[in-house]
Amino acid sequence: DTAVSQTPKYLVTQMGNDKSIKCEQNLGHDTMYWYKQDSKKFLKIMFSYNNKELIINETVPNRFSPKSPDKAHLNLHINSLELGDSAVYFCASSQYGVDTQYFGPGTRLTVL
Amino acid sequence: GQQLNQSPQSMFIQEGEDVSMNCTSSSIFNTWLWYKQEPGEGPVLLIALYKAGELTSNGRLTAQFGITRKDSFLNISASIPSDVGIYFCAGPNTGNQFYFGTGTSLTVIP
C-alpha cells in the first residue's frame, strides 16, 4: 500500500495556466506538507498544514495555495504558472513533527 | 537566508570504501535529520538526532549531532552500489523553521 501518493507524476503545461497537484496519505497523519525541489536538487518547504493551522513559507508566491478537503488530502493549486515554477513538488505527511515525515514520489512540473 | 551547507557536494568512491559527509549551519538547530533520495523518489529518513553530542547508528550508517548544535556528520561504512543517491541533512532551527541542506551526491563504483 502506498503511504503518500501524488498525482500526476508528470505535468507539462503552458505559462499562464492554472493547475493542481493532488496528494493523499493513508497513514492517518495530522500534518501534511508541500516541498519544492529545483533543478539543483535544493529542497524547500512551502507549506505545512494540519486541521487547525496553515503555516506558509513567506517566500512562496500567493499564486500557490494549498487546499485540504479532508485530513487525508492536501492539494496544491497554482495560478498563472510561470517558467520558474518548473520543479519537482513533493508532498509529505507526519504525525508528530517534521522528524517523522513520509514523502510522496514527487510530481515533476514543466512550464513551457 | 538560512542555508544548511553540505560538503562535499559530490563524491565518487569505490565499493567497499567508507564515506564521510557533513552539514553546517550558521544558526543553532534543535534536531538534525539525515535523508537519502534516490532518483525519481522522495527523500527517505535515515537517522534522526535530538541532542548535542548524540551519536546514532542505523546499520552501516552513523550520524552525530555536533556539540555546537550548528553541525552534523554522516558516515557510511563499507559502501555498496545501492548506497548511490543524494544525502540531505535537514532540521528545524530554534525558530522552528525547517530547512534542507544543499545535498551530497554519492556515486559508488562497483
Side-chain angles (χ1 to χ4, degrees):
Chain A
D1 287 340
T2 303
V4 182
S5 59
Q6 298 179 224
T7 54
K9 178 77 172 172
Y10 300 95
L11 181 55
V12 181
T13 187
Q14 297 285 336
M15 224 168 31
N17 284 349
D18 302 339
K19 290 293 179 184
S20 291
I21 305 172
K22 296 185 177 181
C23 177
E24 176 181 3
Q25 53 97 1
N26 62 6
L27 299 168
H29 289 168
D30 288 329
T31 305
M32 297 183 74
Y33 310 81
W34 277 105
Y35 289 83
K36 179 181 180 182
Q37 187 171 43
D38 63 22
S39 58
K40 296 183 179 180
K41 306 297 185 184
F42 188 58
L43 269 161
K44 197 169 189 179
I45 191 168
M46 300 174 70
F47 306 100
S48 65
Y49 185 88
N50 62 24
N51 288 334
K52 300 175 184 176
E53 190 175 12
L54 169 65
I55 300 173
I56 301 173
N57 183 324
E58 61 185 13
T59 66
V60 175
N62 58 15
R63 298 181 295 104
F64 290 78
S65 56
K67 298 186 191 300
S68 180
D70 55 60
K71 198 174 85 165
H73 297 84
L74 182 66
N75 303 325
L76 181 65
H77 190 75
I78 315 169
N79 290 327
S80 303
L81 279 155
E82 300 177 356
L83 294 176
D85 298 334
S86 295
V88 181
Y89 291 85
F90 287 98
C91 175
S93 73
S94 72
Q95 183 62 14
Y96 300 113
V98 290
D99 56 339
T100 57
Q101 290 181 94
Y102 288 84
F103 282 80
T107 295
R108 181 175 292 278
L109 171 65
T110 303
V111 182
L112 303 175
Chain B
Q2 171 69 61
Q3 186 162 345
L4 296 181
N5 292 308
Q6 291 185 240
S7 64
Q9 186 175 8
S10 60
M11 304 179 76
F12 294 82
I13 61 167
Q14 293 285 341
E15 183 177 358
E17 289 184 3
D18 296 343
V19 172
S20 292
M21 60 187 79
N22 67 53
C23 178
T24 59
S25 167
S26 57
S27 61
I28 292 173
F29 273 64
N30 292 325
T31 299
W32 285 102
L33 309 171
W34 283 94
Y35 290 87
K36 178 188 178 186
Q37 184 180 22
E38 298 185 7
E41 302 291 333
V44 174
L45 182 67
L46 300 173
I47 293 178
L49 302 159
Y50 299 100
K51 291 193 300 187
E54 180 181 352
L55 188 72
T56 297
S57 294
N58 178 5
R60 293 178 297 105
L61 277 61
T62 301
Q64 184 162 23
F65 194 138
I67 292 177
T68 65
R69 296 172 65 193
K70 292 184 177 182
D71 55 11
S72 181
F73 309 88
L74 177 69
N75 295 316
I76 306 172
S77 62
S79 58
I80 58 178
S82 62
D83 290 334
V84 165
I86 303 176
Y87 291 79
F88 290 99
C89 61
N93 62 13
T94 50
N96 213 31
Q97 295 171 310
F98 188 73
Y99 296 96
F100 268 88
T102 50
T104 292
S105 175
L106 178 63
T107 301
V108 180
I109 303 167

